[in-house]
Amino acid sequence: MMKEGTKFESSYYVPLLQECINKNSVSEAQIVHGHIMKTVTQEDLFVMTFLINVYAKCGSMENAQKVFDNLLRRNVVSWTTLMTGYVQNSQPEIAIQIFQEMLEAGAYPTNYTLGTALNACSSLYSVMLGKQFHAYIIKYQIDFDTSVGNALCSFYSKLGNLESAIKAFQRIREKNVISWTAVISACGDNGEAAGGLRFYAEMLTEDIIPNEFTLTSVLSLCCTMLSLGVGAQIYSLSIKLGYMSSLPFKNSIMYLYLKCGCISEAEKLFDKTETFSLVTWNAMISGHAQMMDFAEDDLSAYRSGCEALNIFFKLNQSGMKPDLFTFSSILTVCSRLVALEQGEQIHAQIIKSGFLSEVVVGTALINMYNKCGSIEKATKAFVEMDTRTMILWTSMITGFSQHGQSQQALQLFEDMRLAGVRPNQITFVGVLSACSHAGMVKEALSYFEMMQKVYKIRPVMDHFACLIDMFVRLGRSNEAFDFIKKNDFEPNEFIWSLLMAGCRSHGNLELGFYAAEQLLKLKPKDTETYVLVLNMYLSAGRWKDVSRVRKMMKDEKLKKLHDWSWISIKNKVYSFKPNDKSHFHSADIYKSLENLLDQAKSLGYESLETLEVTNGDEEKTYSSTAYHSEKLAIAFGLLNTPNAAPIRVIKSIFMCRDCHNFVKFISLLTAREIVIRDSKRLHKFVNGHCSCGEFSGLF
């Protein structure tokens, strides 16, 4: 047309400019813009306003502003288009300035202008400014308008005011699918998933057809409520409406399947997906990670974690680059699996990817090293962090505390205060725990007072537990009990368990039996808690109480407590149960274990044969601890790893006193670092010493 000298009509430019938006091409928009300037079309307000929109959509607000500034005349659409561009390009404060300039120029906003202004307020998290716009809207009696009502609903939702968001929605006279989606999302974002599902049901009764964004929001509610039934209905409806090709929708239904434990369904959907986004990979990784929390037993949880790692490795092979959410999620999995080697590989990848400066990744990295028993590497990672938030400081303090390095934890806390970072409740849990490990009573009480008087932090159960733990470790059970009475709080199961175990270990049986009875009154749902009580009565020969506790366990329909340990070698998991001879290397394992037992005895180790149970069985027989699951796992690890390699074992229940003592001797005999994560805490054995401060001996 240009070559032929055809005269251009202004309408010719619209599809050209639309193509620039589709291609997200600023350079091509500038070419079209140059041609417009050579014709009289620049006088066409519609075309020039459309050009502002093009530059805004392509992310070039500088060009959009220049076009606006050179307009021969302006109308409310021009002002609104420029405002919308600034909001969409994360410059909401400029959008508000444009609104003020519009009013000063004598132009009156439309409902769309006010909706854009409210979106700017949402981005700024400005309650006061948003309420001023709301007052303006009420003054001109347009709060019933659909676009204005939608914007008000979203504004109040984002600021956490669900009641006002719902009121704004209810005032809309003609509710469209966007209105319903806004209120459904508002409920989900503010912790009212059930309310969101009710609005969805009401929407269907109003014959409003949901769009893919509505269905994705509803699926998010189903994930929160673990409502697979509603999710299945959404899935069927999506097929009917033709939304199954939508990748965000596929990601949502996949995530719901994973959260509800339907792994095979999620994997089928994953396998059928031809185009993957990073969100798809992240959904599969985080879904399997969350499956670890909902698994029936620890072994199943371990397998879910291993599958999350496999998916992460497949993501790397796909050529797609992980983001900070991927890294933080997979590092959490490594923490749960005590998978230090994999965690180190991921650490190297994070450094190459440039995400180490991200606080959420840095915190997950430090937690991973701490929970895998490598306080040295956690410290190195902490020192390398450019920015240290309160959460980062707290993670490191807690890590030092868990590894029995109390002085380092307390010194770091003082450094944190000198840096001007204000501690929170969790920080003081780490500080008090460090004092407990070191038996620093005076310092602990001083920090407890500082927390309340200097930082105005009210103590919670975890703070009380740290102080009770401290007294119990020192054998001062009566002082622990006095502390409970003095502070006038109702101890939870954990605190009564601490007190009971401490009394049993230090011979204060009268107080121990009292703590046991208080514990039983709480009717705990944890099988291990009942087993601890049961073992206490067994060791004292109180057979009536033994029968009573066993009956309570049956009445509560508690599952039996199964002792399992597992070790990962070269990405393969090997699991063991007590006296397990089903393993294909069992002969070598038992021979090695017998040899270790003999060597340990030569150094002073005495094996315990105790009347302890792990599952509440009726037999009153002495049981040997010689072949408990963690001992078999350690023996297998020693046989199948290089001489200097650390041994890392996960155990499904708490370690008994005998196994704890024995592993100390093994670490001394083999000069190996042995890390065992049991159901209570992390134990790091080095040269005959454990990071727990010998506290396992109480159980």
Side-chain angles (χ1 to χ4, degrees):
M1 289 174 67
M2 290 174 63
K3 286 178 181 177
E4 292 175 2
T6 305
K7 184 181 178 181
F8 267 67
E9 299 290 338
S10 59
S11 60
Y12 294 172
Y13 290 106
V14 175
L16 288 173
L17 291 171
Q18 182 60 52
E19 185 63 19
C20 294
I21 294 175
N22 297 340
K23 294 173 70 175
N24 194 32
S25 176
V26 174
S27 59
E28 292 185 2
Q30 288 174 323
I31 293 171
V32 178
H33 184 185
H35 194 270
I36 290 171
M37 297 303 292
K38 293 177 182 178
T39 68
V40 295
T41 313
Q42 61 182 302
E43 298 176 3
D44 189 316
L45 185 58
F46 173 78
V47 172
M48 298 308 287
T49 300
F50 199 91
L51 184 59
I52 294 171
N53 181 48
V54 172
Y55 280 129
K57 289 280 177 63
C58 293
S60 180
M61 287 309 300
E62 184 179 354
N63 282 317
Q65 184 69 59
K66 284 180 181 177
V67 173
F68 179 82
D69 291 341
N70 291 321
L71 288 178
L72 299 175
R73 59 191 180 88
R74 298 164 184 168
N75 61 13
V76 68
V77 179
S78 310
W79 290 100
T80 304
T81 302
L82 186 64
M83 283 177 61
T84 303
Y86 277 116
V87 173
Q88 291 173 345
N89 285 276
S90 304
Q91 295 175 280
E93 64 285 348
I94 301 180
I96 298 298
Q97 291 174 17
I98 298 297
F99 181 84
Q100 291 174 326
E101 290 173 12
M102 181 186 74
L103 294 182
E104 289 168 2
Y108 288 95
T110 64
N111 50 353
Y112 298 107
T113 317
L114 291 167
T116 301
L118 283 169
N119 290 335
C121 296
S122 296
S123 299
L124 289 167
Y125 290 93
S126 176
V127 179
M128 185 177 296
L129 192 58
K131 286 186 174 180
Q132 289 176 19
F133 277 108
H134 194 175
Y136 188 98
I137 288 164
I138 292 171
K139 179 181 178 181
Y140 288 97
Q141 298 181 347
I142 54 172
D143 54 334
F144 63 85
D145 177 79
T146 306
S147 61
V148 170
N150 294 347
L152 278 170
C153 181
S154 297
F155 165 73
Y156 282 116
S157 169
K158 195 166 185 179
L159 271 66
N161 190 339
L162 181 60
E163 184 180 355
S164 295
I166 292 173
K167 283 181 180 177
F169 165 78
Q170 290 171 336
R171 287 191 63 81
I172 300 172
R173 288 180 186 171
E174 296 182 11
K175 300 176 179 67
N176 59 15
V177 66
I178 299 172
S179 312
W180 289 98
T181 303
V183 75
I184 290 168
S185 299
C187 290
D189 293 340
N190 290 277
E192 288 292 336
L197 289 179
R198 284 194 293 271
F199 277 116
Y200 173 67
E202 188 179 341
M203 170 187 175
L204 295 180
T205 60
E206 295 288 332
D207 293 327
I208 303 292
I209 298 174
N211 60 23
E212 65 176 281
F213 301 106
T214 318
L215 296 179
T216 302
S217 296
V218 176
L219 281 176
S220 177
L221 304 179
C222 294
C223 286
T224 302
M225 299 185 68
L226 299 180
S227 180
L228 187 59
V230 177
Q233 293 175 27
I234 301 292
Y235 188 24
S236 300
L237 182 58
S238 70
I239 295 172
K240 180 180 177 182
L241 296 175
Y243 294 138
M244 270 313 294
S245 59
S246 164
L247 193 54
F249 183 82
K250 278 187 179 179
N251 293 339
S252 297
I253 192 70
M254 199 182 299
Y255 193 60
L256 174 63
Y257 281 144
L258 287 165
K259 284 208 70 171
C260 293
C262 302
I263 299 176
S264 58
E265 286 82 354
E267 289 176 343
K268 284 177 187 175
L269 196 57
F270 183 75
D271 293 338
K272 288 179 182 177
T273 303
E274 296 178 1
T275 305
F276 293 98
S277 70
L278 187 55
V279 176
T280 314
W281 290 104
N282 285 350
M284 288 296 288
I285 291 168
S286 61
H288 277 87
Q290 289 203 21
M291 279 297 298
M292 297 176 77
D293 296 322
F294 297 108
E296 290 185 2
D297 53 65
D298 289 327
L299 194 55
S300 299
Y302 194 90
R303 286 168 180 157
S304 293
C306 289
E307 186 56 34
L309 276 174
N310 288 334
I311 295 168
F312 176 75
F313 295 139
K314 288 178 183 176
L315 163 61
N316 285 329
Q317 291 169 0
S318 74
M320 199 170 287
K321 302 294 183 184
D323 63 4
L324 63 97
F325 302 107
T326 322
F327 284 126
S328 60
S329 183
I330 201 64
L331 284 171
T332 303
V333 171
C334 291
S335 301
R336 294 282 303 274
L337 297 179
V338 195
L340 181 61
E341 289 78 10
Q342 291 90 334
E344 288 174 326
Q345 293 170 19
I346 293 164
H347 185 181
Q349 189 177 347
I350 290 168
I351 293 171
K352 291 178 183 177
S353 303
F355 283 111
L356 193 59
S357 59
E358 296 288 345
V359 174
V360 65
V361 175
T363 304
L365 184 65
I366 287 173
N367 284 336
M368 183 276 293
Y369 279 129
N370 281 334
K371 290 181 180 178
C372 289
S374 182
I375 189 65
E376 299 81 11
K377 289 180 179 175
T379 305
K380 187 174 183 294
F382 177 78
V383 170
E384 291 172 352
M385 296 294 170
D386 295 329
T387 304
R388 294 173 190 165
T389 62
M390 180 271 295
I391 296 173
L392 211 58
W393 285 97
T394 299
S395 296
M396 200 63 234
I397 290 167
T398 303
F400 277 128
S401 174
Q402 290 171 344
H403 284 79
Q405 298 187 15
S406 300
Q407 292 297 337
Q408 291 91 327
L410 298 180
Q411 182 58 56
L412 193 64
F413 175 68
E414 295 303 330
D415 291 345
M416 175 184 178
R417 294 179 66 205
L418 283 172
V421 180
R422 183 181 178 84
N424 68 356
Q425 282 185 347
I426 302 171
T427 315
F428 275 102
V429 172
V431 170
L432 294 175
S433 178
C435 294
S436 172
H437 268 78
M440 301 165 66
V441 177
K442 182 179 178 181
E443 291 83 352
L445 295 176
S446 175
Y447 282 121
F448 187 63
E449 185 178 4
M450 175 197 293
M451 178 183 76
Q452 298 173 78
K453 291 187 176 179
V454 177
Y455 293 102
K456 310 300 180 186
I457 297 173
R458 294 184 62 184
V460 295
M461 200 63 70
D462 286 343
H463 300 125
F464 293 128
C466 289
L467 295 173
I468 299 298
D469 174 77
M470 175 183 66
F471 286 123
V472 166
R473 283 173 183 266
L474 296 170
R476 293 155 65 171
S477 303
N478 287 323
E479 287 182 62
F481 189 60
D482 290 341
F483 180 82
I484 292 172
K485 291 189 290 185
K486 178 183 175 183
N487 284 276
D488 192 29
F489 67 95
E490 290 295 328
N492 60 8
E493 296 171 22
F494 181 69
I495 289 178
W496 285 123
S497 296
L498 280 173
L499 193 59
M500 179 193 69
C503 291
R504 178 190 174 191
S505 178
H506 296 291
N508 191 348
L509 295 182
E510 184 179 350
L511 183 55
F513 292 138
Y514 176 80
E517 290 304 317
Q518 298 305 309
L519 188 56
L520 292 174
K521 284 180 182 177
L522 296 176
K523 292 188 176 180
K525 299 300 180 184
D526 178 20
T527 307
E528 277 191 87
T529 304
Y530 279 99
V531 169
L532 289 172
V533 176
L534 192 61
N535 284 336
M536 181 165 182
Y537 285 132
L538 275 165
S539 62
R542 296 177 56 149
W543 304 114
K544 287 184 178 179
D545 288 319
V546 169
S547 299
R548 177 169 59 91
V549 174
R550 280 178 170 151
K551 184 178 183 302
M552 290 178 72
M553 293 174 74
K554 286 182 178 178
D555 292 343
E556 293 292 330
K557 297 179 180 179
L558 296 174
K559 293 181 180 179
K560 286 189 175 184
L561 197 60
H562 296 291
D563 177 13
W564 281 91
S565 290
W566 50 94
I567 185 171
S568 177
I569 299 175
K570 294 180 180 178
N571 294 326
K572 188 173 180 181
V573 180
Y574 301 89
S575 58
F576 300 87
K577 59 184 178 180
N579 305 300
D580 190 355
K581 294 189 177 179
S582 62
H583 200 276
F584 61 94
H585 282 149
S586 61
D588 293 335
I589 294 169
Y590 275 80
K591 184 178 178 181
S592 174
L593 188 53
E594 291 291 349
N595 184 40
L596 289 169
L597 283 165
D598 290 339
Q599 291 182 63
K601 286 176 182 177
S602 69
L603 294 178
Y605 164 70
E606 294 181 4
S607 60
L608 297 175
E609 196 174 63
T610 59
L611 190 56
E612 294 188 348
V613 297
T614 57
N615 57 18
D617 287 339
E618 292 295 336
E619 292 84 2
K620 300 174 184 177
T621 57
Y622 284 88
S623 61
S624 172
T625 61
Y627 306 111
H628 275 187
S629 64
E630 67 268 46
K631 288 180 179 175
L632 297 174
I634 291 169
F636 180 78
L638 291 170
L639 288 170
N640 292 277
T641 56
N643 288 336
I647 303 293
R648 290 183 175 82
V649 174
I650 296 181
K651 183 175 170 67
S652 62
I653 61 173
F654 54 84
M655 289 183 74
C656 69
R657 287 172 290 177
D658 179 66
C659 287
H660 191 269
N661 291 334
F662 179 65
V663 178
K664 286 195 296 182
F665 280 99
I666 293 180
S667 70
L668 190 61
L669 284 165
T670 62
R672 296 269 199 130
E673 177 185 298
I674 301 174
V675 176
I676 299 181
R677 169 85 63 76
D678 70 7
S679 62
K680 299 293 181 184
R681 56 180 54 82
L682 179 100
H683 303 271
K684 182 179 179 180
F685 299 89
V686 180
N687 295 324
H689 298 283
C690 180
S691 61
C692 77
E694 316 308 319
F695 192 57
S696 183
L698 297 180
F699 292 102

